[in-house]
Structures are given as structure tokens and as C-alpha cells.
Amino acid sequence: MITLALPRSDRSLERFALPDPVHWDTTRPGETLARAVLSAAHVVADPLADIAPMREIAIDFDATQRFREHLWDLGLGIAEAMDTAQRGMGLDWPSAKILIRNTLASARQRPGAVVFSGVGTEQLAPQDATIESVIAAYLEQLSYVQGLGGRVILMASRALARAARSPADYARVYARVLAEADQPVILHWLGEMFDPALAGYWGGNNIDAAMDSCLGMIADNAGRIAGIKISLLDKELEIAMRRRLPEGVAMYTGDDFNYPELIAGDSKGFSHALLGIFDPIAPIASAALKALTQGGVAPFRDILEPTVALSRELFQAPTQYYKTGVVLLAYLGGHQEHFTMLGAQQGARSVLHLARVFRHAATLGLFLDPDRAAQRMRHVLALHGIA
């Protein structure tokens, strides 16, 4: 039995025994699933780059692409450069361009590989934004992705949130950008719990009025919109909006607290998925979606619902730091050789949080090599003075 000492909130240590790993019955690459599924895959930093990590960016592009291969092997799609905990907060547009180019090139070598790429405005400083400059920034990124033959996720814009004075400004920007889309895009409404700079998106702080504004824009441009991802961590809002979408426009849940219920759906519809949690729980997500496709809602929920406790831990407030736990699990699981992040965000969470993440993941059977996971977690704990 493999054990290690984990800290508890009362400053004592718990002797934790790792359960055996679980080998899931996962889907195969290219297999048709009952839901469209995109994982917002994390970025692997380069720990040997001689930079100031809180100011400069260095990415291990090879390790980053290997992780995308892992997700494709499990039948999941990739939402590239959608690392919302880092895009514009550590991951800049020049680096995102390389990620998008690399992932689209890899996808062309894999029949059935699905990729959508994030298009935003982070090359534009919010304090310098005007409506016209926001449009220009969106179009620059849109042109780049479409020039590579890529599909687009139109991300929420901090610059637009700062420059807009009314819902009409949002409608104007989105109509202009969508007019240049060569294929229907997925929109993204990212809540302020993920990014405080996006408070009041769609033109006001009243959530019902914001939804009306967004739905009006979608209705006006429905032919150019494949769907919308909303990340508001409120299942009732998502369901209400899902039922009001025009025919042909799908809902993609970004709710990392309530995803099993929202993906399962009800008699009036369901949500597809574009989720950050599907990065660390990819094998379980793959198995659950296979079960949904072959056996229905009950086996799907039986597999997926036990992961919610881990997801709620990862995405607890302040939610913008959720990737710290995600990258920890990638390190412990052997998908990368270090626990180093862009912007030095490996230090953004407490050691107690990291210990809880470890407990949840081990209990789910996510560590295929428990000895390696335990050894690496001991290294992390030692850095915090826990021997």
C-alpha cells in the first residue's frame, strides 16, 4: 500500500493511502458521441527558460502538443488557446498563434480530430480600446485562425467590456466580426468569477438584461453561430438560456460545477460541453460520454457525477486560479515533468488546496501510476516544509 502524509486545515498530518487506479472503458478517436465535447487544454510552461516568469512567457510546445494527443486519443476535441485562466493573463497572442498553428497541423494528421481555436482581443490594451479598435483586434485573430483552416471560438473581450457603453455596442462589434466568419463560430460568455474584468458583459450588471442582449445578438446573426458556451456557474441560467436559443444554435456548457446534469439534459434539451474540467478528468469524461452514447443518461451520470467534488475544489473562488490544480494533476499523472506554470501560477493556491485536489483525484482512481503520483506529491509537499 502506498501512503503519504497530507496536511489538514488544523495543521495536523493525515496518513493517506492511495487507492488502486481505475482503468476506464474510454471512447476511441473519431468515434461518434451523443454530445459534442471540447476540452480547454492547459499549456505546459518551459521551466528551464531564463526569464522573469511573472512577466515573460516560455512554453514547452512539444509537451503541450503531447497533452493534446492524449486528449484526442480519448476521443475528446480540443478548444485551443482557450486557457481562460491564462489567456491574456500570462498567455499572450504571439504564443497563442503558435499553439493554434501547431494544434491545427497535428489535427490534419489525425482523421477525426476536432479543434476549435480561441479568437479574442488581448493584443489590444483595454485602456486603449475603442469600438473600432476592438473590431480590428478581433478581425486580426479571426483572419489568422481562418487562414489556417481553423474553426473559431469567439471569446469574450476585456477591451470590449471596457470600451462598450451600451448593449448596442456589443451588437455592433459581434455583427461586424461574425460577418467575416467563413464557418459558424462558437461564442463564449465568460462570467466575472473567471475574469473580473468581464463584469457587466453584454452591456449591464443585470443578468436578465444581459441575457436578453446576448440572445438578441444571436437571433440577428444565427446563421453564423454554431453555439454558445456560457461559463456563469449557474445551471438555472444556462438552462433558461438554452431553451431560448434559436434553432440550430447549440448550448455548450462551461459550468464546471453542474456539468453532469447539464450534459445529461432534460425533456426540453441538453448542453454540449466545452469544459476546463475535462482536461484533468479526461479518461473519466471519455468513459462517461461513451456510456451516454451506448447506454443512456443513468450510466453516464453514475460515472461522471463522482468527479464533481474534484471540479468544485479546482474551481473554487478565486476561480481564475483553477489551472493551478489542473497542472498539478498533469504533473502527478505523468503528462509533464514539472509543476511549473506560466506567470508562476503554481503558487496561486495553498498547499491545503493542493492536498485536497490530490485526495479527490486519488479517490477517483485517476493516477495510473500511484507510486509516481505519491513521489511527486511528496516533492510538492517538501517545498512547503512538509516532510
Side-chain angles (χ1 to χ4, degrees):
M1 181 178 294
I2 301 168
T3 65
L4 75 165
L6 293 177
R8 295 186 291 199
S9 57
D10 63 0
R11 296 180 178 268
S12 66
L13 295 178
E14 169 198 5
R15 180 58 61 178
F16 180 81
L18 275 76
D20 292 332
V22 176
H23 297 278
W24 302 97
D25 181 16
T26 57
T27 189
R28 296 179 181 178
E31 190 173 337
T32 300
L33 297 173
R35 304 287 187 268
V37 181
L38 297 170
S39 173
H42 76 277
V43 172
V44 182
D46 178 0
L48 298 181
D50 189 8
I51 62 169
M54 296 183 71
R55 294 187 175 187
E56 300 172 90
I57 296 170
I59 296 174
D60 183 337
F61 289 104
D62 290 338
T64 295
Q65 287 308 121
R66 285 195 298 272
F67 190 77
R68 280 134 181 80
E69 298 284 340
H70 159 68
L71 295 174
W72 279 326
D73 286 343
L74 293 168
L76 305 182
I78 304 295
E80 187 53 270
M82 277 291 294
D83 195 341
T84 53
Q86 293 178 342
R87 182 86 182 260
M89 293 184 284
L91 177 61
D92 61 11
W93 174 233
S95 300
K97 289 170 70 174
I98 299 172
L99 289 172
I100 291 166
R101 183 191 67 203
N102 290 353
T103 300
L104 289 173
S106 295
R108 284 192 284 272
Q109 309 304 314
R110 296 179 63 107
V114 175
V115 183
F116 278 72
S117 300
V119 162
T121 65
E122 72 270 24
Q123 74 273 41
L124 177 64
Q127 63 270 21
D128 299 330
T130 65
I131 295 302
E132 289 304 321
S133 66
V134 169
I135 291 171
Y138 264 136
L139 291 178
E140 177 189 347
Q141 295 198 17
L142 180 75
S143 176
Y144 178 80
V145 174
Q146 293 186 158
L148 296 172
R151 299 290 302 274
V152 166
I153 302 164
L154 200 60
M155 300 174 69
S157 164
R158 295 184 192 89
L160 177 55
R162 189 178 181 100
R165 295 293 177 266
S166 69
D169 287 333
Y170 287 88
R172 175 184 167 196
V173 169
Y174 277 87
R176 179 69 181 84
V177 175
L178 289 167
E180 302 300 321
D182 60 12
Q183 298 182 73
V185 311
I186 298 173
L187 304 176
H188 187 193
W189 182 358
L190 185 66
E192 63 185 284
M193 67 290 296
F194 287 91
D195 186 348
L198 295 175
Y201 211 73
W202 301 113
N205 291 314
N206 180 287
I207 193 68
D208 292 328
M211 186 178 293
D212 289 343
S213 174
C214 180
L215 284 165
M217 184 279 297
I218 291 172
D220 290 342
N221 301 277
R224 297 184 180 274
I225 300 171
I228 180 169
K229 171 191 174 177
I230 65 170
S231 301
L232 302 177
L233 303 183
D234 185 323
K235 67 179 181 180
E236 299 304 331
L237 284 174
E238 178 172 323
I239 292 169
M241 188 172 189
R242 185 172 75 194
R243 291 176 178 172
R244 295 175 63 189
L245 289 173
E247 185 175 356
V249 178
M251 174 61 73
Y252 285 77
T253 187
D255 188 333
D256 297 279
F257 286 0
N258 303 290
Y259 50 95
E261 176 182 348
L262 292 164
I263 296 169
D266 55 31
S267 61
K268 296 183 180 179
F270 56 81
S271 297
H272 298 287
L274 200 171
L275 287 163
I277 187 57
F278 278 9
D279 174 316
I281 67 162
I284 304 177
S286 174
L289 289 158
K290 182 175 183 177
L292 178 63
T293 302
Q294 297 181 350
V297 167
F300 164 79
R301 296 190 70 162
D302 286 345
I303 294 171
L304 199 59
E305 284 186 345
T307 67
V308 171
L310 169 61
S311 190
R312 286 177 176 259
E313 181 66 41
L314 290 170
F315 286 84
Q316 68 175 243
T319 304
Q320 62 262 40
Y321 298 133
Y322 77 89
K323 272 298 194 300
T324 301
V326 169
V327 174
L328 173 72
L329 292 179
Y331 168 56
L332 299 177
H335 297 294
Q336 58 190 77
E337 295 305 311
H338 57 84
F339 180 36
T340 303
M341 297 178 64
L342 301 188
Q345 286 197 24
Q346 67 271 16
R349 294 288 203 182
S350 73
V351 69
L352 291 173
H353 170 82
L354 302 182
R356 290 191 295 267
V357 168
F358 180 88
R359 287 188 192 93
H360 284 305
T363 301
L364 290 169
L366 274 172
F367 300 132
L368 297 183
D369 186 338
D371 185 60
R372 176 180 59 199
Q375 290 282 9
R376 291 184 169 188
M377 189 64 189
R378 290 188 190 103
H379 295 323
V380 173
L381 293 170
L383 291 174
H384 292 81
I386 302 169

